[in-house]
Amino acid sequence: MKTLIRTGISLEKDLLRRFDHAARKKGYTNRSEAIRDLVRDFAVREDIREDRPVVGTLTMVYNHHQRDLAGRLIDTQHRTHPMMLATTHVHLDHDNCLEVVLMKGRSRAIQELADRILSLRGVKHGRLVLTTTGQGPK
Ligand code: NI
């Protein structure tokens, strides 16, 4: 258990009311926990901006019939294998594949890789989500 330090912050009344309302809607039962999560999110954004190690999931849908795409995806993943944790592939329907690529590494390298994959012809849509490795301050 980490030591908790109490701190006070000043906020405009309307802003605090709005925050409390939003936090309650999200399921928070106490303000401190909601604020802690915001601070954690701030820290993760900092990790991403400072090119620290993070984990990433790239979710994408692509055209199953696009020539050479599956091969290109696999080649890309082999070339960058130290970053690759796992890949899940679902055949969505006759024409479409859903793939989730799980990666770990420095944020910039992951973002560049995701951009490279998403720009391949035949990829219809995708999105990268970066989050903490769980190491460091919680
Ligand atoms: Ni498929």
Side-chain angles (χ1 to χ4, degrees):
M1 185 79 183
K2 295 254 169 77
T3 310
L4 293 178
I5 295 170
R6 290 186 67 87
T7 183
I9 53 170
S10 305
L11 282 179
E12 289 87 351
K13 195 196 243 175
D14 286 352
L15 190 58
L16 184 61
R17 194 177 298 141
R18 194 172 157 187
F19 179 77
D20 284 342
H21 180 73
R24 250 195 320 277
K25 268 175 75 176
K26 280 177 180 286
Y28 288 103
T29 52
N30 90 54
R31 187 187 285 157
S32 288
E33 189 53 36
I35 291 174
R36 277 196 289 273
D37 275 358
L38 281 183
V39 174
R40 289 184 190 109
D41 191 57
F42 183 88
V44 171
R45 286 166 197 260
E46 192 70 4
D47 287 343
I48 293 167
R49 200 169 32 237
E50 296 294 325
D51 198 26
R52 294 182 190 130
V54 293
V55 290
T57 53
L58 175 63
T59 301
M60 63 181 154
V61 172
Y62 64 86
N63 178 358
H64 166 68
H65 304 291
Q66 180 67 47
R67 254 185 98 243
D68 299 337
L69 178 58
R72 279 208 194 95
L73 286 172
I74 292 169
D75 286 349
T76 303
Q77 291 171 21
H78 274 278
R79 271 201 307 274
T80 54
H81 71 90
M83 284 165 57
M84 293 294 156
L85 299 177
T87 302
T88 300
H89 185 106
V90 176
H91 313 299
L92 277 182
D93 58 32
H94 184 260
D95 305 313
N96 296 289
C97 300
L98 167 71
E99 201 157 302
V100 181
V101 183
L102 290 80
M103 299 169 276
K104 189 176 178 181
R106 292 197 179 269
S107 64
R108 203 161 300 143
I110 291 180
Q111 280 169 320
E112 282 170 8
L113 179 58
D115 285 344
R116 209 181 316 146
I117 289 174
L118 292 177
S119 66
L120 291 173
R121 187 193 293 267
V123 176
K124 294 182 175 180
H125 184 258
R127 186 152 288 164
L128 174 68
V129 174
L130 295 175
T131 186
T132 178
T133 60
Q135 307 287 315
K138 304 296 181 294

